[in-house]
Amino acid sequence: MVLDCCERSRQDLLCSPNRAERWLEAAAGVLSAVTESENPWRERDRQWAAARLEAARGNLLAARGRIGEAHTVLTAARNRFEALGDEFQTLLAARSLSFTLAKKGRLLEARDLCLEAAYALAGYGAAAEVRYLLNNLALIRLALSEPRKAAALFHHLLRRLEPHDPFQPTIRRNAILPLMEAGRWGGALGDARRLARELEAGDLGVERARTHRLIGEILLVSGEPSAAQVTLRRAARDFENLGAGYETAQTEALLGQACLATGDHREAEGRFRRALQFYMEEGFAVDLIHLLEAWSREAGEGGAGEREFAAFRQYWRFAPASAPVC
C-alpha cells in the first residue's frame, strides 16, 4: 500500500503538489502502523518501504523547487537503499539527484553521476532508465554550454527509440533546445511545429500542450510576442482542461511576459497573479514566490519585466521542456 500511495503521488505532481503530498501522508500513516519485526525479511521490507517513501518526498520537494531540501532528502533515501544492499534502487536515485545537483550549480558532479549510473544500469538491462539518465545528461550538457554534445545525445536517443515510444515526444522536444541555445530560431520553430502537427492526431494531450508552450517560448524570445500569445493561450487552455496545474502556472507566466511585450500590462499582471496564486497555494520555493511578486509589480507599474523573465527561464533552465524529475 505504501508503494501504491507513492505511485499515486508521482502521478499527481503535475496536477497538484498538495494532492501528491496527501498521498505521501497516507503512505506515512500506513507505514507508522507497521512495527519493527524480528523476522529479518519482513524488517527489510519495512525499511525498503521507508526508503521508497523518503525518495518520493524528495521528488515532491524537487518538483516544488525546494532544491536544497530535496537534495538532502534524496541523498538520505539513496543511502538507505545502499545500506539495504539494493544496488538497483541506489542507481535509480541518480536520476533525481542529478536534477538537484544541476539545480544547485554542481554541474560536473551531476554529469559524472549520470554517466556512472547509466553505465551500471545498462548492465541490468534497464533500457528505459538509461534513456532517462541520458536525457538528463544531455540537459546538463546544455547547462554546461555544450549544445553540440547535448544535440548528439538527443539524436542518439532518438535513433534507439521505437516510433511509438511514449518518451519520444519529450526527447524530440528537448532536442530543439540546443537550437535555441545557438539562436537558431527558425530551425527550432520548424522542428517544434512539425512535432506539434504530429501530436495533433494522438491522445498525448500533455505532450501536445508542452510542445505548443515551447513554440510560444521560441516566438517570445525571438521577438514575436503577438504570435507567441496565440500559441501560449492555446497551451494554457489545454493544460487547464487537463487539470495540470503545475504546467498551467508555467504557461501563465510565459503568457504574462508576452502580454507585457505587446503593451497589455493589465492582462500581464493578471497572468502573473494566477501563476503566483498556484505557486503560493502549492508550497513552492520562496524565491520563486518573490520572483512572481516582483514580476507582477513590474507589470502593474508598466515595466518590461525582462529581468524577471530571464530569471524565470533560468529557474527552470535544467528542464525547460520536460516534466519534473520524479
Side-chain angles (χ1 to χ4, degrees), residues 80-126:
R80 281 192 175 194
F81 284 125
E82 190 172 24
L84 290 168
D86 191 331
E87 183 187 33
F88 187 72
Q89 289 295 327
T90 302
L91 291 168
L92 290 185
R95 184 184 175 203
S96 296
L97 280 171
S98 67
F99 179 90
T100 56
L101 283 169
K103 283 289 195 179
K104 287 164 70 69
R106 294 159 61 180
L107 295 169
L108 295 180
E109 290 178 65
R111 179 200 64 189
D112 293 346
L113 180 61
C114 283
L115 286 168
E116 292 167 9
Y119 178 79
L121 284 168
Y124 280 94

Side-chain angles (χ1 to χ4, degrees), residues 138-182:
L139 291 167
I140 291 166
R141 293 289 192 192
L142 279 179
L144 286 167
S145 300
E146 298 176 347
R148 290 185 179 180
K149 290 182 179 180
L153 268 173
F154 288 133
H155 293 152
H156 167 85
L157 287 168
L158 288 171
R159 285 195 299 271
R160 283 156 178 77
L161 286 173
E162 295 295 327
H164 301 294
D165 190 301
F167 196 43
Q168 190 186 85
T170 296
I171 297 298
R172 286 184 62 185
R173 193 168 54 253
N174 285 345
I176 296 167
L177 302 181
L179 298 177
M180 294 178 67
E181 288 293 307

Side-chain angles (χ1 to χ4, degrees), residues 273-313:
R273 288 290 179 188
R274 281 192 284 276
L276 176 61
Q277 182 179 0
F278 174 83
Y279 290 135
M280 289 179 66
E281 290 178 352
E282 294 288 350
F284 277 74
V286 173
D287 53 349
L288 182 59
I289 301 300
H290 290 167
L291 169 61
L292 263 293
E293 288 174 337
W295 212 352
S296 183
R297 285 195 302 272
E298 182 80 359
E301 295 168 1
E306 292 179 359
R307 181 180 301 175
E308 290 78 11
F309 177 45
F312 184 77
R313 292 189 74 221

